[in-house]
Amino acid sequence: QVQLVESGGGLVQAGGSLRLSCAASGRTFSRYSMSWFRQTPGKEREFVAAISAGAGSTYYADFVKGRFTISRDNAKNTEYLQMNSLKPGDTAVYYCAAGQAWGVTTSHYDYWGQGTQVTVSS
């Protein structure tokens, strides 16, 4: 089983940057595709970005392309999301997830972190 813990969220002004981290436990971490989702109250959890197990491929939602970068360090069992040019619309709880293959819906993923709050002010 893979256990995931997010960190790095906080409050920033529009145009600022944050780097989220997702620390994973589990000996098979390097075999999983990893992703980031986000969710606001009353809305479905939405796909943000994903990265393949070997870090050879990345995938992004249209609304973050050019602003966010997903990466992973398998030696450290950690996934990252570098968020630049943040907008108030990026305000959400951000979750990392692990699955056998990447996808844009939550059903593709087997393991989830507890979430970390990102708030972007005007």
Side-chain angles (χ1 to χ4, degrees), residues 59-119:
Y59 316 89
Y60 296 96
D62 287 342
F63 56 82
V64 302
K65 287 181 179 177
R67 299 191 298 124
F68 293 6
T69 303
I70 188 171
S71 62
R72 67 191 296 166
D73 185 341
N74 286 344
K76 297 177 63 177
N77 283 5
T78 303
E79 176 196 23
Y80 304 95
L81 185 68
Q82 177 66 46
M83 305 186 294
N84 299 325
S85 301
L86 283 162
K87 305 173 182 179
D90 296 320
T91 295
V93 176
Y94 283 71
Y95 299 87
C96 65
Q100 294 294 321
W102 84 275
V104 299
T105 62
T106 58
S107 63
H108 286 85
Y109 299 93
D110 302 306
Y111 306 103
W112 294 86
Q114 83 290 344
T116 185
Q117 177 71 46
V118 172
T119 302

Side-chain angles (χ1 to χ4, degrees), residues 45-59:
R45 198 167 293 186
E46 67 177 347
F47 173 78
V48 176
I51 188 166
S52 60
S57 299
T58 57
Y59 316 89

